[in-house]
Amino acid sequence: MGSWDPEKGSKGKKKKTDSSYECEKPWIPWLLPTIVLANIIIFVLMMYTNNCPKNNKRSKGKCVARYLGRFSFQPSKENPLFGPSSNTMDKWGALQWSKVVHGKQGWRFITCLWLHGGLIHLFANVLSFFFIGIRHEQQFGYVRVGVIYLLSGFGGSILSSLFMQHTTTVGASGALFGLIGAICSEFLTNWTIYTYKVTAVITFIAIIVLNLAVGVLPHIDNFANIGGFFTGFLLGFVLLFRPQSGWIKPQHRPAGAAVIPKHKPYQYVFCVIAVLLLIVGFGMGLFLVFKGENGNKHCSWCHHLTCAPTSKWPCGY
């Protein structure tokens, strides 16, 4: 099963245009597959150290899939995602506001991106990597995609720290949502080169809704998803705008052919505005986090965005 490409027709061939970006050779994706492999290895190692049969408190129920031995999962009431305990995730670098601010452990803004709350969480993210990230690494290269991935994850961690100050959160979802956001802004700023616009919009909406729905489960942080999405959305305007349809490199332009500007004016406008918003957003976000500001004081219902409490699991607001 291949990844979806809105620039391809029903037979998988790209539309023919004179735009030089069509002639560029695709990059060979290696960064995101490497990140996927690293995430899987880290999850296996984290489950090994979790050792539910030895460390689980009976008051929380029995370990799930005990036949897996020390790789068995925490009781479903504690972690319905088939994963480790909060204590194990904390030891591996999960995001905790108190340890970032008072413990001076700012590295948790990044280490939490490599951890997952359980198999369901990991599986959803791996699918997103292959259906979203790989194609864009092929188109834009590992440098731009890598910058979007890391900065979006960092932006998601900042927003999470403003709202999730009493819980432990993990996941690459914020960084992945950044890739989704970048795809959306790339689609808007390069609107003229796409053919199947309706299909693209429907696909974007479906992916966003699916990931946000998974985000209401414990240990998955929808605030990180939202922060990552808007960070990536802005970065897409800065890093992913391409030549407009019909533009031809000067050395390839036929004599007497009309000169078409490489980019449209609105692309430059979007880029400048996005850079300013990113600077202000990161600066204000970090200032508020280390000041100890709690976003929930200004939004009484926002905590429901990241965890839906049920009889099966607590949310720990």
Side-chain angles (χ1 to χ4, degrees), residues 27-290:
W27 294 74
I28 298 176
W30 63 268
L31 178 63
L32 294 183
T34 301
I35 291 176
V36 169
L37 180 61
N39 285 340
I40 294 173
I41 293 174
I42 290 172
F43 180 76
V44 172
L45 293 175
M46 188 164 58
M47 289 306 305
Y48 178 83
T49 59
N50 184 66
N51 196 358
C52 180
K54 178 181 179 180
N55 300 320
N56 177 53
K57 296 179 180 179
R58 287 294 182 179
S59 59
K60 296 182 180 180
K62 295 182 179 180
C63 299
V64 177
R66 288 184 63 86
Y67 55 86
L68 294 176
R70 66 184 301 147
F71 290 99
S72 58
F73 311 114
Q74 293 298 116
S76 58
K77 190 170 184 179
E78 179 185 354
N79 188 343
L81 299 174
F82 302 110
S85 65
S86 296
N87 185 52
T88 298
M89 288 186 278
D90 178 52
K91 291 178 179 178
W92 276 78
L95 183 62
Q96 268 197 354
W97 173 82
S98 61
K99 293 191 176 181
V100 169
V101 176
H102 302 301
K104 309 299 181 184
Q105 298 177 10
W107 45 267
R108 289 180 180 268
F109 279 134
I110 300 300
T111 55
C112 66
L113 305 180
W114 303 87
L115 308 177
H116 289 81
L119 276 181
I120 296 176
H121 190 195
L122 179 63
F123 180 72
N125 280 352
V126 168
L127 284 180
S128 297
F129 269 115
F130 282 105
F131 283 96
I132 299 171
I134 299 299
R135 183 179 74 85
H136 275 69
E137 186 177 345
Q138 289 177 321
Q139 286 187 341
F140 298 106
Y142 65 90
V143 174
R144 284 185 282 183
V145 170
V147 169
I148 291 171
Y149 182 85
L150 288 176
L151 287 182
S152 297
F154 182 56
S157 294
I158 292 174
L159 187 63
S160 173
S161 296
L162 287 172
F163 286 91
M164 304 287 290
Q165 297 184 352
H166 303 293
T167 57
T168 299
T169 60
V170 296
S173 302
L176 283 169
F177 257 78
L179 294 179
I180 296 173
I183 291 172
C184 292
S185 57
E186 186 267 331
F187 177 67
L188 291 175
T189 195
N190 302 317
W191 178 266
T192 59
I193 68 175
Y194 282 102
T195 51
Y196 297 95
K197 296 178 174 63
V198 175
T199 302
V201 171
I202 293 174
T203 302
F204 294 151
I205 293 175
I207 292 172
I208 293 171
V209 170
L210 173 62
N211 282 272
L212 287 176
V214 174
V216 301
L217 296 172
H219 303 304
I220 301 180
D221 188 356
N222 258 349
F223 287 113
N225 294 345
I226 296 169
F229 177 86
F230 283 109
T231 302
F233 185 75
L234 293 174
L235 286 169
F237 288 121
V238 178
L239 298 175
L240 302 186
F241 67 90
R242 301 189 287 190
Q244 64 172 308
S245 179
W247 175 75
I248 305 174
K249 290 182 178 180
Q251 61 268 35
H252 298 149
R253 187 183 304 129
V259 177
I260 299 177
K262 184 175 183 179
H263 300 106
K264 289 185 175 293
Y266 72 81
Q267 290 178 301
Y268 294 111
V269 173
F270 284 164
C271 179
V272 172
I273 293 174
V275 169
L276 294 176
L277 290 175
L278 284 167
I279 293 173
V280 172
F282 277 117
M284 286 295 296
L286 288 171
F287 172 77
L288 293 173
V289 166
F290 286 99

Side-chain angles (χ1 to χ4, degrees), residues 298-311:
H298 307 285
C299 180
S300 60
W301 55 269
C302 283
H303 57 272
H304 292 300
L305 292 175
T306 195
C307 184
T310 71
S311 60

